[in-house]
Each structure stands twice: as C-alpha cells, then as structure tokens.
Amino acid sequence: MVDKFILHLDEVGIDDIPQVGGKNASLGEMIQKLGPKGVNIPGGYVVTASAYQYFLKETGLDLFIKKELENISEKNL
C-alpha cells in the first residue's frame, strides 16, 4: 500500500493492519465480503498511521515526545 493519509474503508483489508489498525481493517473486510451479500455496513474513512507519523514530524512533536520520554525514570512512575 502506498503511504496515503486517508483511505476509504472499502479500500482496506486485513493486510493493512499496520497502517489502519485492526478494527478498521476488519470493517473494510466486512464491507468487501458481506456488502455484496446484502449486509449493510456503513462506509467511512480511515486516517492512517502514515498521517499520524507525518503530523508528529511536521509539528516537532516527535522530538518533544522523545525528549520527554528520556526524562522518565522508574523513580517518577
């Protein structure tokens, strides 16, 4: 799968779990497999893991999170 930020549920399936998560992948599978058999499953869209990673990088939150996690010790938990 190409790194897209938004996908329609009918475009995803079990093989896409790393990018869309298990629940979204399962919904996509149901739409593809059960829709043609007359089972109505609402459509929708997925914001992918690639979109989240892009957001973290572009906003600098990835570095902020890394820095904050480095400051955590077992004493602080």
Side-chain angles (χ1 to χ4, degrees), residues 21-71:
K23 290 180 185 178
N24 290 320
S26 293
L27 282 170
E29 286 282 321
M30 287 192 295
I31 290 170
Q32 293 170 23
K33 302 259 185 332
L34 300 177
K37 295 181 179 184
V39 178
N40 290 326
I41 300 162
Y45 65 92
V46 178
V47 177
T48 65
S50 293
Y52 177 67
Q53 292 162 354
Y54 178 83
F55 172 76
L56 290 178
K57 184 176 179 190
E58 288 298 307
T59 60
L61 283 171
D62 58 342
L63 299 176
F64 173 79
I65 292 168
K66 182 178 180 179
K67 180 182 170 196
E68 291 299 312
L69 290 175
E70 288 172 353
N71 293 328

Side-chain angles (χ1 to χ4, degrees), residues 1-4 6-30 32-33 46-50:
M1 172 188 306
V2 176
D3 284 341
K4 294 183 178 180
I6 297 175
L7 297 169
H8 291 276
L9 281 172
D10 62 1
E11 296 178 297
V12 300
I14 294 301
D15 293 337
D16 301 312
I17 288 175
Q19 271 298 316
V20 301
K23 290 180 185 178
N24 290 320
S26 293
L27 282 170
E29 286 282 321
M30 287 192 295
Q32 293 170 23
K33 302 259 185 332
V46 178
V47 177
T48 65
S50 293

